[in-house]
Amino acid sequence: MTTLLPLAIVLACAWACTGARLVTDHQENRRALLSNGLAITPPMGWNSWNHFDCSINEKIIKETADALVSTGLAEFGYRYVNIDDCWAEYNRSAKGYLVPRKSTFPSGIKALADYVHKKGLKIGIYSDAGKKMPGSLGYEEKDAKTFASWGIDYLKYDNCNNGNVKPTIRYPIMTRALMNTGRPIFFSLCEWGDMHPALWGSNVGNSWRTTNDINDSWESMVSRADQNEVYAEYARPGGWNG
């Protein structure tokens, strides 16, 4: 059985922590760039990183999907099953495509997404707005199309190895690439609060990370809620502080 509590508690807090505002003219204007119709309420679900780090495989993801349903959490809105880092081979294919790690995801991400979807849930994946791990910088269109073809519903987009290119330049490229796929994919900006993404994130993504890492403790989660209080006015349906 996998651990469900860390992200579930954090995301459940998000609504109370960030506050919600009615749709404004600003939100209508942003749809020219971001119009996926997602994140009417804060996303709730599970992410692999906090508990498993890189020790993940398709069995763990399937067990988590099973657990969200069997525990009843899915009925309360916990529907995202998000695969974090270390799911991909370090090297791309000869044609430049991302490749699931054969040792841990032998069935491929598409088959795993199909399994999660049959449970009535949504599946997320991880990439990075940089050049390593492998990152998607310079591969935005190719990777977005790959994620869409696999049936991905959520993209967590990190901020590592970015060559000192500002996130306000890097992140909108992936926004457009995701929109060009025609598949609604929740876009989570994992920018660590480096350049105060609450101030500009609503034009780019469905959520934006405003703080450093959390750990698996109540004190850590509450402290992040307190840090987000200053950004409460920037949260609204369609875009949330993370």
Side-chain angles (χ1 to χ4, degrees), residues 84-99:
D84 211 283
D85 196 11
C86 306
W87 63 268
E89 297 285 3
Y90 189 80
N91 295 313
R92 291 173 176 265
S93 72
K95 294 184 177 181
Y97 290 96
L98 292 169
V99 179

Side-chain angles (χ1 to χ4, degrees), residues 1-239:
M1 180 66 68
T2 55
T3 300
L4 297 173
L5 287 179
L7 189 70
I9 294 175
V10 171
L11 293 178
C13 287
W15 182 265
C17 303
T18 58
R21 298 198 308 185
L22 296 176
V23 175
T24 64
D25 290 340
H26 174 73
Q27 184 178 354
E28 290 299 327
N29 292 336
R30 71 189 280 270
R31 297 192 185 284
L33 177 63
L34 187 70
S35 57
N36 57 22
L38 301 175
I40 302 305
T41 59
M44 300 197 299
W46 176 91
N47 179 284
S48 62
W49 186 257
N50 187 266
H51 183 74
F52 290 100
D53 199 89
C54 275
S55 300
I56 56 171
N57 55 54
E58 62 183 42
K59 181 174 182 290
I60 288 173
I61 305 305
K62 287 181 177 180
E63 287 179 346
T64 299
D66 294 343
L68 284 174
V69 174
S70 65
T71 59
L73 284 171
E75 295 182 9
F76 289 96
Y78 294 89
R79 294 195 173 93
Y80 283 101
V81 182
N82 290 350
I83 308 166
D84 211 283
D85 196 11
C86 306
W87 63 268
E89 297 285 3
Y90 189 80
N91 295 313
R92 291 173 176 265
S93 72
K95 294 184 177 181
Y97 290 96
L98 292 169
V99 179
R101 190 168 292 181
K102 293 181 180 179
S103 61
T104 49
F105 292 88
S107 301
I109 303 300
K110 177 63 168 65
L112 190 56
D114 289 344
Y115 182 92
V116 171
H117 289 152
K118 287 179 181 178
K119 295 283 181 178
L121 305 173
K122 296 181 180 295
I123 190 166
I125 207 162
Y126 169 97
S127 190
D128 175 60
K131 292 184 176 294
K132 295 183 179 180
M133 307 168 65
S136 292
L137 189 61
Y139 291 89
E140 290 89 352
E141 287 288 340
K142 186 181 290 285
D143 290 355
K145 289 178 181 177
T146 297
F147 297 146
S149 71
W150 287 345
I152 294 300
D153 304 298
Y154 184 117
L155 174 63
K156 174 184 173 183
Y157 204 43
D158 216 336
N159 193 36
C160 308
N161 306 296
N162 55 52
N164 295 318
V165 180
K166 291 183 178 181
T168 49
I169 295 174
R170 287 178 287 118
Y171 278 72
I173 300 173
M174 181 57 85
T175 305
R176 295 185 181 93
L178 292 173
M179 291 179 64
N180 287 341
T181 68
R183 179 177 180 81
I185 298 177
F186 186 107
F187 191 27
S188 173
L189 316 180
C190 186
E191 187 264 359
W192 323 328
D194 191 36
M195 287 188 64
H196 306 291
L199 306 182
W200 50 267
S202 65
N203 292 314
V204 183
N206 297 116
S207 69
W208 40 88
R209 178 174 165 180
T210 56
T211 67
N212 291 324
D213 285 344
I214 65 169
N215 59 53
D216 191 3
S217 72
W218 181 250
E219 290 76 17
S220 177
M221 289 183 284
V222 169
S223 72
R224 297 307 184 270
D226 291 340
Q227 290 174 47
N228 268 305
E229 184 178 359
V230 68
Y231 297 121
E233 66 179 291
Y234 298 101
R236 62 182 63 85

